[in-house]
Amino acid sequence: MVRLYAILAIGQLILAVVALISCLSAENDEIRALPRFAWVLIILFFPLVGSIAWFVAGRPVPATPAAGNRPGGGTTGRDRQRPLAPDDDPEFLRSLDSERSKQDRELLERWEQDLRRREDKLRGGDSSDPPREEDKPEA
């Protein structure tokens, strides 16, 4: 019987430590029901009941699923305030795509101009061609 009490006491201690860490690491504006100081005191003075109360009523609400997964598909005020990662922002991706296509067009235009210049040079028999191997002096 003593072993059972020891295991329950260790479990209660672990639960209290996890609840305390969760409480102290939560953002101030996300903690529900009571201020952080009150939650810390409740968890310390009533470890089992306070820890359970923290996880049920005090800890921050978990993040909601993305708008596409939510019924109705709308966005909440909280979703609009949360910054998006660059690869999740459609506007950012469009700007990358437009920049990339602009650079590709410019590169293609330069290649075409270079090709035209070289073709004109070959057709005209211009003497400014680079020297051939047999024309180079021996070292």
Side-chain angles (χ1 to χ4, degrees):
M1 199 62 161
V2 173
R3 289 183 187 166
L4 179 63
Y5 288 139
I7 291 173
L8 290 176
I10 290 172
Q12 177 182 346
L13 181 64
I14 291 172
L15 182 65
V17 168
V18 170
L20 193 59
I21 290 171
S22 174
C23 179
L24 293 174
S25 65
E27 296 290 330
N28 277 336
D29 58 339
E30 293 179 349
I31 296 175
R32 298 181 294 164
L34 298 172
R36 182 191 317 262
F37 181 72
W39 279 116
V40 170
L41 290 178
I42 291 171
I43 293 170
L44 289 176
F45 288 128
F46 309 104
L48 182 62
V49 176
S51 300
I52 294 171
W54 163 254
F55 286 116
V56 170
R59 104 177 149 173
V61 178
T64 57
N69 298 337
R70 198 175 324 130
T75 60
T76 63
R78 188 173 192 195
D79 289 338
R80 280 184 247 117
Q81 294 174 358
R82 186 182 68 205
L84 294 174
D87 58 344
D88 290 340
D89 187 5
E91 185 175 326
F92 177 74
L93 293 174
R94 276 192 298 273
S95 71
L96 280 180
D97 189 38
S98 66
E99 287 177 27
R100 170 84 33 113
S101 63
K102 181 180 176 185
Q103 290 172 351
D104 289 347
R105 283 192 304 269
E106 290 173 357
L107 183 62
L108 182 63
E109 181 66 31
R110 281 187 298 204
W111 285 348
E112 287 176 346
Q113 288 174 356
D114 186 46
L115 181 62
R116 278 191 225 110
R117 182 182 53 80
R118 288 180 182 200
E119 286 177 345
D120 290 344
K121 188 185 266 188
L122 286 174
R123 283 190 198 118
D126 194 8
S127 62
S128 63
D129 289 336
R132 297 185 192 142
E133 287 293 323
E134 61 266 4
D135 295 342
K136 289 184 181 176
E138 293 184 27

